[in-house]
Amino acid sequence: MFNRDDRARYLRLLAYIRPHWRVVLLAAGGTVLYGLTEPLVPFVLQPLVDGGFAEGDMRTVYGLTALLFFGFMLRGAASYTATCSMNWLAQQVVYTLRGRMFAQLLRLPMRYFDENSAGSIVSRFTYDALQLMAASTDAVAILLRETVTIIALTVFLFYLDWRMTLLLFVVAPVLAYIIVHVSKKLRTMARAMQEDMSGMNHVVDESLRGRAIVRIYNGQDYEYARFERQAEAVRFHAVKSTKIAASASPVVEMTIIAALCTVIILFAWKARSAPAQMTTGVFVSFLGTMALLFPPIKRMGKLNEPIQRGLAAAQSIFDFLDAPTEPQPALPPVTLSRGDIEFRDVRFSYPEQPVLERFNLHIRAGETVALIGESGSGKSTIAALLAGFYTPEAGAIYIDGYNLADVSLADRRRAIAFVSQDTVLFSTSIAANIAYADPAPDAAKVRFAAESANAAEFIGKLPHGYDEDLGPQGGRLSGGQKQRIAIARALYKDAPILILDEATSALDNHSEAKVQEAIERLRQNRTAIIIAHRLSTIRNADRIVVLEKGKIVESGSHAELLKRGGSYAKLLHRI
């Protein structure tokens, strides 16, 4: 049922429960007490039938009914305590796990997101976390309760007739074989369901992000077909998993019923041969105890399915938590305030795709440099390396004379502001978006940044002004307005280095003029790296660097490069 890796994962999972040991003890105490009271009815039946009813002893009847009543009051209290404690524990485990997963998500390097879809990551937070909760708390509670119940009932059966009880253990190897056999199949189905859920989430995520493309290309039927394939796979494996789990139940039932029938027949023979030893009360009590033993054994058999799903989910979640994060070595604090940038013999490649080889570039503090070139020439890679999204395979990058390998990512990124083509706004107020991640935002600074970004005018027309909630992805604003909010965010940060990655490529002429004016203010007294194709964006740069296949082929001002009539002039002609 469990291999070594499974046991290691389960122990690691239970480690999340250990800090709440008091609640665990409370839940365990209630669960054990509930299980121990299971034989109460058959325990009362034997003396009630043989003594109370057969002999008309009302004192015995009164005493045993009182014991039954107060015993079930205790059982009810134990059940309530165990259920509430275990539910609190389950929610706490999920809360802790999701918190650690989200913290891990924020520290993962860009390469992880290049290799894993958003749908598969979201699936870990939703589907996998819930499966893990069922395995770590619900399954453990049921396992403990049913184990105690089975032990208590078995002990009472031995007390009633140990010989007959031993006969029941003949079916134990059969039950063990069924559980092991079903476990293997359920694990395979659990892994398949995880992959299917991940694929389904991925299709939904892509359809949401590409909603405009889906509609303009009339791709609704195409996307629905993709979704239906993934949803059908989820349904198929869920049904198959249920069938496998359900197939074990009748076999377990028939095995136990066969043992029960055998015991009944033997009891009947014993009653005929030794009536003094086999009273009606003993028979009824033994039969009642066996009947009570049947449901917990059946529930134990069904417990295998959530445990296997939980272990498969544990592997998925722990693989996510164990994924390498961005390097965070303990480095002395550094303040990068000038913005002097130098790439020295930098080499970098994506999987099976070399981009930069012995790349060298020096950008002086306060200089505006435009990077242009064909798609795949390395423009965005240069910006990503500078921001620490990726690590050079060889060579070094310097800011203000500091080798960035010796500067923490936090200090490096504190010196960089970033505005991209794909404007990212958060579902919060405009002010919170401009002052993003500032624990103590300055309202006056927010307004100044908005005015400098040509955003104050349209913000003032909104019903709640700077407190206006933008909704998901800033959907209530136009493209130009969202871009100006992003520029205001960069202005608010007031970093010495500015990266503009195709910041105006998706705008109309009117919006571009407003944004371009804001960009001109933004790049004053800063080192700016502009990645763009539009002439209006690059012509005012102090220097234009033309890239081809990761190498610099030309460098100079707009006028100088035009005069040469080389690669820049040809690119400009195409633009």
Side-chain angles (χ1 to χ4, degrees), residues 19-42:
H20 314 292
W21 61 271
R22 291 184 178 86
V23 180
V24 172
L25 287 179
L26 189 64
T31 301
V32 169
L33 188 58
Y34 182 88
L36 288 173
T37 55
E38 189 71 22
L40 192 59
V41 171

Side-chain angles (χ1 to χ4, degrees), residues 190-206:
R191 287 173 179 161
M193 278 191 66
Q194 277 184 309
E195 293 175 5
D196 297 336
M197 287 294 295
S198 172
M200 188 176 72
N201 286 337
H202 180 60
V203 172
V204 172
D205 176 68
E206 284 190 333

Side-chain angles (χ1 to χ4, degrees), residues 109-247:
M110 285 297 185
R111 281 194 187 274
Y112 185 89
F113 302 102
D114 296 339
E115 298 165 0
N116 294 271
S117 69
S120 67
I121 295 171
V122 171
S123 183
R124 287 183 170 98
F125 282 84
T126 53
Y127 178 77
D128 289 354
L130 292 177
Q131 299 306 313
L132 205 55
M133 178 182 75
S136 64
T137 53
D138 299 350
V140 171
I142 295 170
L143 183 65
L144 178 61
R145 185 184 68 216
E146 306 308 347
T147 300
V148 172
T149 299
I150 290 169
I151 291 172
L153 292 170
T154 303
V155 168
F156 187 63
L157 285 173
F158 271 104
Y159 166 74
L160 291 172
D161 194 314
W162 65 271
R163 294 181 183 85
M164 294 294 183
T165 304
L166 284 175
L167 288 173
L168 294 175
F169 284 89
V170 173
V171 303
V174 179
L175 297 178
Y177 171 78
I178 294 169
I179 291 171
V180 171
H181 180 69
V182 169
S183 294
K184 293 177 181 178
K185 290 190 174 183
L186 286 175
R187 174 66 64 85
T188 303
M189 289 298 104
R191 287 173 179 161
M193 278 191 66
Q194 277 184 309
E195 293 175 5
D196 297 336
M197 287 294 295
S198 172
M200 188 176 72
N201 286 337
H202 180 60
V203 172
V204 172
D205 176 68
E206 284 190 333
S207 297
L208 286 171
R209 288 189 292 108
R211 56 191 179 276
I213 299 298
V214 171
R215 284 157 178 77
I216 203 68
Y217 282 90
N218 292 320
Q220 290 91 340
D221 292 342
Y222 174 76
E223 289 301 326
Y224 184 79
R226 289 178 67 210
F227 175 81
E228 192 172 35
R229 282 195 298 272
Q230 291 295 332
E232 168 60 21
V234 172
R235 185 204 66 79
F236 172 78
H237 285 115
V239 170
K240 193 169 183 180
S241 179
T242 301
K243 285 181 179 178
I244 292 170
S247 66

Side-chain angles (χ1 to χ4, degrees), residues 191-441:
R191 287 173 179 161
M193 278 191 66
Q194 277 184 309
E195 293 175 5
D196 297 336
M197 287 294 295
S198 172
M200 188 176 72
N201 286 337
H202 180 60
V203 172
V204 172
D205 176 68
E206 284 190 333
S207 297
L208 286 171
R209 288 189 292 108
R211 56 191 179 276
I213 299 298
V214 171
R215 284 157 178 77
I216 203 68
Y217 282 90
N218 292 320
Q220 290 91 340
D221 292 342
Y222 174 76
E223 289 301 326
Y224 184 79
R226 289 178 67 210
F227 175 81
E228 192 172 35
R229 282 195 298 272
Q230 291 295 332
E232 168 60 21
V234 172
R235 185 204 66 79
F236 172 78
H237 285 115
V239 170
K240 193 169 183 180
S241 179
T242 301
K243 285 181 179 178
I244 292 170
S247 66
S249 185
V251 178
V252 170
E253 287 182 8
M254 291 308 299
T255 303
I256 296 174
I257 287 297
L260 179 60
C261 292
T262 303
V263 168
I264 291 173
I265 293 170
L266 291 173
F267 257 113
W269 279 103
K270 188 174 182 179
R272 286 186 63 184
S273 60
Q277 296 179 15
M278 183 52 61
T279 65
T280 303
V282 172
F283 176 74
V284 170
S285 185
F286 195 95
L287 200 63
T289 305
M290 280 196 65
L292 289 174
L293 193 61
F294 177 66
I297 292 175
K298 191 176 177 181
R299 285 193 291 268
M300 288 278 277
K302 290 181 178 179
L303 195 61
N304 198 18
E305 185 180 6
I307 287 177
Q308 294 304 322
R309 284 203 306 263
L311 288 172
Q315 181 177 351
S316 173
I317 286 178
F318 291 144
D319 285 348
F320 179 77
L321 290 173
D322 294 338
T325 58
E326 289 184 321
Q328 299 284 355
L331 296 169
V334 173
T335 302
L336 306 174
S337 57
R338 292 175 53 243
D340 186 87
I341 302 167
E342 186 175 1
F343 288 75
R344 294 184 190 172
D345 295 327
V346 171
R347 185 177 78 241
F348 179 79
S349 61
Y350 296 107
E352 301 180 2
Q353 183 187 351
V355 181
L356 302 177
E357 183 67 40
R358 296 186 66 83
F359 180 80
N360 292 278
L361 176 64
H362 181 213
I363 302 173
R364 295 181 297 275
E367 184 181 19
T368 297
V369 172
L371 303 178
I372 71 165
E374 299 285 359
S375 178
S377 60
K379 307 182 299 296
S380 295
T381 299
I382 292 168
L385 288 170
L386 182 65
F389 295 154
Y390 301 95
T391 303
E393 296 165 4
I397 304 172
Y398 292 81
I399 296 180
D400 295 348
Y402 291 97
N403 186 336
L404 292 184
D406 301 324
V407 178
S408 70
L409 285 173
D411 285 341
R412 180 200 301 203
R413 291 169 180 169
R414 203 171 285 120
I416 300 172
F418 183 73
V419 181
S420 69
Q421 174 185 353
D422 300 321
T423 307
V424 176
L425 296 180
F426 298 90
S427 184
T428 182
S429 68
I430 289 177
N433 269 283
I434 293 174
Y436 177 70
D438 187 348

Side-chain angles (χ1 to χ4, degrees), residues 446-473:
V446 167
R447 292 178 183 276
F448 179 76
E451 289 168 3
S452 301
N454 286 338
E457 183 180 352
F458 78 78
I459 292 173
K461 294 177 181 178
L462 296 173
H464 301 99
Y466 287 87
D467 294 325
E468 183 79 11
D469 193 304
L470 295 180
Q473 300 176 351

Side-chain angles (χ1 to χ4, degrees), residues 534-548:
R534 290 193 175 188
L535 179 60
S536 58
T537 308
I538 61 178
R539 68 184 305 163
N540 294 327
D542 299 319
R543 182 159 44 117
I544 298 169
V545 174
V546 185
L547 298 168
E548 285 183 10

